[in-house]
Amino acid sequence: MNIPFLDNWLNRHETGQGALAAALEGDPEGVTEMFSECEMLRVQARAGGLELDESPASLEALDQMMPRWRRDPEVTPWLGNDAGFYLGTVIIRTVPGSGWQVWPNGQPVIRLASGRELNVVESGVAWAMTGSPELCQAYAEASEG
């Protein structure tokens, strides 16, 4: 995948919030596309017979999958990170006025049109580790405003 901002982003001497914030400002679509890749989650989903289509229904289907990844404690946080980025991707694609933002600590979050911010990565990691909150529930709360 060719993401134009990536070379500039990697060559910057900034760290944390500055680099990611600059990337979002310079190429928000490129960052959104990068966050939507979620390759580990997509592989797990395919193995379970699910093709992720960035719809709210796909979040419900993920919630119903057998969590075989929990057998590997090294995989779970990475998968959870992907689940959070996937949740964020679905929100951005379907909830008007939402977009990625960066907290001062460098954590990417979703900002809703109402101004409310959601730490979707934290939600994704919790989902991967325990199954709660369900991804479809986190989406429902975001889509309510």
Side-chain angles (χ1 to χ4, degrees), residues 30-91:
V31 172
T32 298
E33 184 66 28
M34 182 179 70
F35 284 168
S36 73
E37 287 184 9
C38 314
E39 190 59 31
M40 183 178 281
L41 181 67
R42 290 180 188 277
V43 167
Q44 287 286 330
R46 273 187 224 109
L50 175 61
E51 195 64 39
L52 300 180
D53 62 1
E54 299 179 0
S55 71
S58 67
L59 295 172
E60 291 178 41
L62 280 169
D63 287 335
Q64 300 304 312
M65 283 184 57
M66 182 65 72
R68 291 183 171 89
W69 57 84
R70 289 190 194 136
R71 295 179 192 153
D72 187 344
E74 290 185 24
V75 167
T76 303
W78 292 102
L79 187 75
N81 204 43
D82 273 10
F85 283 129
Y86 185 72
L87 171 61
T89 297
V90 174
I91 292 169

Side-chain angles (χ1 to χ4, degrees):
M1 170 180 290
N2 182 18
I3 303 175
F5 76 85
L6 198 52
D7 288 335
N8 291 336
W9 185 25
L10 293 174
N11 290 328
R12 294 181 78 100
H13 295 299
E14 297 173 307
T15 60
Q17 190 262 352
L20 184 54
L24 272 169
E25 186 176 314
D27 187 4
E29 294 83 18
V31 172
T32 298
E33 184 66 28
M34 182 179 70
F35 284 168
S36 73
E37 287 184 9
C38 314
E39 190 59 31
M40 183 178 281
L41 181 67
R42 290 180 188 277
V43 167
Q44 287 286 330
R46 273 187 224 109
L50 175 61
E51 195 64 39
L52 300 180
D53 62 1
E54 299 179 0
S55 71
S58 67
L59 295 172
E60 291 178 41
L62 280 169
D63 287 335
Q64 300 304 312
M65 283 184 57
M66 182 65 72
R68 291 183 171 89
W69 57 84
R70 289 190 194 136
R71 295 179 192 153
D72 187 344
E74 290 185 24
V75 167
T76 303
W78 292 102
L79 187 75
N81 204 43
D82 273 10
F85 283 129
Y86 185 72
L87 171 61
T89 297
V90 174
I91 292 169
I92 286 173
R93 304 262 198 261
T94 60
V95 177
S98 60
W100 289 105
Q101 295 291 311
V102 180
W103 280 346
N105 67 358
Q107 177 71 41
V109 298
I110 295 292
R111 184 177 181 99
L112 302 175
S114 67
R116 185 171 151 222
E117 294 178 338
L118 307 172
N119 189 340
V120 292
V121 173
E122 182 178 86
S123 296
V125 170
W127 171 82
M129 292 181 153
T130 67
S132 179
E134 289 186 329
L135 297 175
C136 67
Q137 180 61 37
Y139 173 81
E141 291 173 12
S143 66
E144 290 173 358

